[in-house]
Amino acid sequence: MKNLRLTGERLITGAGALNALSELTFTRALIITGGKSMFRNGTIHRAETLLSPRGAVEVCHGIPANPTCADVEAGLAVMRRFAPDLVIAIGGGSSIDAAKAMLLFYEWPALNFDNVFQSTLPQKRTKTTFVAVPSTSGTASEVTHVTVITFPEQQNKLAIKTEALRPDIAILDGELCMSLPAHIAAETGMDALTHAIECFTNRSKETFTNALAIGAITGILQWLLQSVEQATPESRQKMHEFSCMAGMAFSNAGLGMVHGISHAFSAHYNTAHGLANAVILPYVLEYNRQDAWVAAELDHLSHIVGGDIIGQVRALAAQVGIPACLRDCGIAEADFERDEAALIAGSMLGSTAVNPIPMTPETIAPIVRAAYYGN
């Protein structure tokens, strides 16, 4: 028996979906966002305009890529001072992930980063309504029960998981993505493809997550290049929706070794999560293909998409400008050689535990090197 959860209370999708903010009931609304992009394209002003007739509104901004404990704690201080009953995260996956961690510690003050991984976590918020409005099409944090936070001192990225983190409302408005630079559209789109393929090759998948993963894979293969090169409204909305489908799938079935290795590199070098996933994905697929079950699943997927899936992943990545190896992402060879042992240890954490082939530091080491050097 499996207990599936695909989203929170509501999923609102389509151009102009942000207008749904005007229907919310609240007393104090806190908007959490990143740096400048959502201000430059007018989204934050628009959200404030929609919300302000219904209650007090404040904006907490400056969430960076790969948010750290310190970033969460700074936002938490704002949240505790303002005491919202509505929290709206607008931006990329980093803004939404940071908001999730803030909310967990806001609703349960006894929890903090010192004890959260040893505690039995609550499953339902009672003080706040949480709305997630993604501006990138990659992480699908708007429908998942997970937040990933960077711990700089340990040079690790770790996931906190509980249903209390899943947003109540997800708003997929492709208009928010129209100002997205091509390279960000490429990296986040390949991130979504990684989610879908890792879910598809996870042994925990079942009928529903399998169908969602296939739908996301075929959709992303069809629409990502147009989204990157032409940035048409239709392609940006489609990528938003297929990314969300991938999130619904992997939050129920799990991921795999790509994310384990990716988190290690992101924690050490602040490499963009989607970029790292995009580079690492084909190397892991080639390795996992030695397993008979994975090989059969990939053969089936290749039949569905009309060609070898690993070849299609490599071709699409090249078309949208993804480097062929992590060395070409600006990570100096001297730094990699110095950190290799720590990177291998970090790669064994997180989603590597549910890779379809059980991994050890000895078996993962050649994959880490291959993904870095491109051999």
Side-chain angles (χ1 to χ4, degrees):
M1 182 178 74
K2 294 203 72 171
N3 182 20
L4 303 179
R5 182 83 178 270
L6 302 181
T7 187
E9 295 177 3
R10 278 193 291 164
L11 173 66
I12 304 169
T13 186
L18 188 67
N19 292 329
L21 294 181
S22 65
E23 303 169 3
L24 300 177
T25 300
F26 64 93
T27 301
R28 303 170 71 81
L30 180 64
I31 298 172
I32 297 172
T33 191
K36 300 177 180 178
S37 61
M38 291 296 97
F39 291 94
R40 282 197 302 263
N41 70 11
T43 298
I44 299 302
H45 174 71
R46 185 176 158 205
E48 289 180 287
T49 301
L50 291 165
L51 292 165
S52 57
R54 307 183 72 85
V57 181
E58 184 163 328
V59 179
C60 172
H61 62 90
I63 303 299
N66 301 315
T68 66
C69 305
D71 297 318
V72 170
E73 287 165 352
L76 178 61
V78 175
M79 190 176 287
R80 285 174 172 164
R81 173 184 56 77
F82 185 64
D85 57 334
L86 171 65
V87 172
I88 305 167
I90 302 178
S94 295
S95 296
I96 300 173
D97 272 10
K100 287 178 173 179
M102 292 175 206
L103 273 167
L104 185 65
F105 301 150
Y106 171 62
E107 292 230 0
W108 293 278
L111 290 173
N112 53 55
F113 284 118
D114 292 330
N115 63 23
V116 69
F117 295 106
Q118 294 79 43
S119 302
T120 299
L121 299 182
Q123 297 297 306
K124 185 176 178 59
R125 294 181 317 279
T126 57
K127 291 166 56 176
T128 50
T129 299
F130 182 27
V131 180
V133 187
S135 63
T136 60
S137 307
T139 68
S141 191
E142 71 273 6
V143 292
T144 70
H145 64 302
V146 181
T147 179
V148 178
I149 303 298
T150 299
F151 293 75
E153 292 183 2
Q154 295 89 351
Q155 292 188 307
N156 283 328
K157 291 178 77 172
L158 299 176
I160 303 170
K161 300 180 182 181
T162 167
E163 280 299 325
L165 298 177
R166 199 185 302 269
D168 300 297
I169 301 172
I171 295 177
L172 303 180
D173 188 339
E175 291 180 348
L176 275 62
C177 305
M178 294 307 297
S179 60
L180 201 63
H183 76 283
I184 301 297
E187 292 171 11
T188 55
M190 291 298 296
D191 185 23
L193 183 61
T194 302
H195 292 155
I197 293 179
E198 282 214 287
C199 171
F200 183 82
T201 54
N202 190 295
R203 296 183 191 276
S204 294
K205 71 174 183 176
E206 34 53 52
T207 304
F208 293 93
T209 51
N210 186 69
L212 284 165
I214 291 173
I217 292 164
T218 56
I220 293 167
L221 290 175
Q222 178 181 353
W223 289 100
L224 178 57
L225 185 60
Q226 184 181 137
S227 173
V228 172
E229 294 186 341
Q230 302 175 38
T232 61
E234 184 179 19
S235 64
R236 291 288 167 98
Q237 182 67 42
K238 291 286 189 182
M239 283 302 302
H240 233 24
E241 293 168 349
F242 289 124
S243 167
C244 184
M245 287 171 60
M248 291 176 177
F250 86 75
S251 67
N252 285 280
L255 292 164
M257 177 170 42
V258 176
H259 274 73
I261 300 174
S262 171
H263 285 171
F265 276 87
S266 293
H268 274 76
Y269 310 115
N270 204 32
T271 309
H273 174 68
L275 174 61
N277 277 347
V279 173
I280 297 163
L281 176 60
Y283 296 98
V284 169
L285 290 177
E286 291 284 7
Y287 179 86
N288 284 341
R289 201 173 209 168
Q290 67 183 291
D291 178 86
W293 179 84
V294 175
E297 292 299 295
L298 291 177
D299 288 345
H300 176 58
L301 184 58
S302 297
H303 176 74
I304 292 171
V305 301
D308 176 62
I309 184 60
I310 302 177
Q312 292 206 31
V313 167
R314 290 188 185 276
L316 180 60
Q319 284 178 304
V320 299
I322 300 297
C325 63
L326 289 165
R327 181 171 56 179
D328 293 343
C329 295
I331 302 170
E333 184 172 6
D335 292 339
F336 172 75
E337 295 290 349
R338 178 197 67 211
D339 299 331
E340 185 175 2
L343 289 166
I344 291 168
S347 296
M348 287 297 299
L349 302 175
S351 296
T352 296
V354 293
N355 193 66
I357 299 177
M359 302 304 295
T360 67
E362 291 72 28
T363 56
I364 207 170
I367 305 166
V368 172
R369 291 186 65 84
Y372 177 75
Y373 286 106
N375 52 30

